[in-house]
């Protein structure tokens, strides 16, 4: 397996990254190819597609051994399921699969051809093994069943309170994404402590917040 590219995103740490691709559509990322694959011919025809599959490396989740069962966050971290029935990063082969939207393709930059995408759920610098076009005629299955993930209720977004002085610290084109990340509740599903303060980095700025589950409100502290 050869690393063909890396993706650049606004996340320097794992905490805060959406749990699945496409959950926060306003998130932006840029796919930058490694030198052997900086060939514009390799992207010929890609402009006709709207979405991509990205096959990538859970580079921060490598472990010497694997477990046949894991604790899915969607089940509160209290029940074990078979690793092949989940999307856990802790797998025999730490490979991720994400579907993203193509926002633009630049063929001539200082880094060679690059692909701008939205909806990515990856750490900045994540290695990419391959990209493939998304084909609606075969890849979309509206009647598919969702297993135990379908049986767990998807909570309504949190109310998000961000002081204007804090929000203005972020680039204007990143403020919507930040609000959506927080509304999706970046905490582990099994955490519900109103006194606990959480923190993560977004566009290089560290954010500290707490959540009042009683009124479904997330407050950014600083």
């Amino acid at each position: 397996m050869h690393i063909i590219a890396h993706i650049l995103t606004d996340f320097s740490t794992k905490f805060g990254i959406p749990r699945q691709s496409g959950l926060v559509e306003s998130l932006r990322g840029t796919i930058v190819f490694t030198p052997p694959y900086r060939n514009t011919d390799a992207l010929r025809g890609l402009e006709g597609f709207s979405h991509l599959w990205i096959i990538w490396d859970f580079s921060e989740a490598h472990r010497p051994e694997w477990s046949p069962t894991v604790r899915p966050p969607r089940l509160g971290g209290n029940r074990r399921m078979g690793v092949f029935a989940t999307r856990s990063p802790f797998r025999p082969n730490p490979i991720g699969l994400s579907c993203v939207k193509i926002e633009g393709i630049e063929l001539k930059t200082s880094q060679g051809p690059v692909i701008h995408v939205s909806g990515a759920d990856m750490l900045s610098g994540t290695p990419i093994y391959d990209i493939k076009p998304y084909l609606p005629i075969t890849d979309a299955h509206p009647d598919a069943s969702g297993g135990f993930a379908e049986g767990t209720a998807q909570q309504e977004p949190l109310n998000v309170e961000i002081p204007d002085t804090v929000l203005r610290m972020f680039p204007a084109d990143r403020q919507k994404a930040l609000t959506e990340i927080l509304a999706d509740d970046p905490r582990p599903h099994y955490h519900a402590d109103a006194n606990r303060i959480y923190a993560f980095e977004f566009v290089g700025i560290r954010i500290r917040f707490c959540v009042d589950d009683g009124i479904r409100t997330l407050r950014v502290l600083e």
Side-chain angles (χ1 to χ4, degrees), residues 43-196:
L43 302 184
R44 188 184 302 166
L46 189 60
E47 70 279 357
F49 296 91
S50 65
H51 291 72
L52 283 178
W53 287 111
I54 301 179
I55 301 171
W56 49 281
D57 178 14
F58 279 112
S59 54
E60 298 298 310
H62 289 193
R63 291 184 174 182
E65 298 179 355
W66 72 288
S67 171
T69 61
V70 295
R71 300 177 186 270
R74 186 176 285 273
L75 297 180
N78 299 316
R79 293 174 56 194
R80 284 193 170 275
M81 290 289 174
V83 66
F84 299 134
T86 75
R87 296 190 176 188
S88 167
F90 304 111
R91 325 183 65 78
N93 294 303
I95 294 174
L97 178 68
S98 296
C99 184
V100 298
K101 183 180 180 182
I102 299 174
E103 295 293 341
I105 300 172
E106 290 186 84
L107 297 179
K108 295 181 179 180
T109 76
S110 60
Q111 297 175 305
V114 301
I115 306 173
H116 301 288
V117 300
S118 61
D121 56 341
M122 286 166 267
L123 191 70
S124 191
T126 292
I128 294 174
Y129 291 127
D130 203 1
I131 61 174
K132 300 178 186 291
Y134 175 93
L135 301 177
I137 192 171
T138 58
D139 295 349
H141 301 277
D143 298 327
S145 59
F148 67 83
E150 193 175 64
T152 55
Q154 182 68 35
Q155 291 185 326
E156 290 295 316
L158 295 174
N159 301 310
V160 177
E161 296 180 357
I162 307 178
D164 288 339
T165 54
V166 172
L167 192 60
R168 286 197 295 269
M169 296 174 65
F170 293 86
D173 62 349
R174 297 296 197 273
Q175 294 176 6
K176 179 181 178 183
L178 172 63
T179 303
E180 292 177 352
I181 291 166
L182 296 171
D184 193 47
D185 195 352
R187 300 175 299 167
H189 279 287
Y190 45 86
H191 283 193
D193 183 355
N195 297 315
R196 184 163 183 166

Side-chain angles (χ1 to χ4, degrees), residues 200-219:
F200 72 99
E201 288 189 7
F202 183 65
V203 297
I205 301 174
R206 189 168 178 80
I207 304 153
R208 298 174 73 245
F209 67 92
C210 61
V211 180
D212 186 335
D213 287 284
I215 58 174
R216 300 285 298 158
T217 298
L218 182 151
R219 295 187 178 92

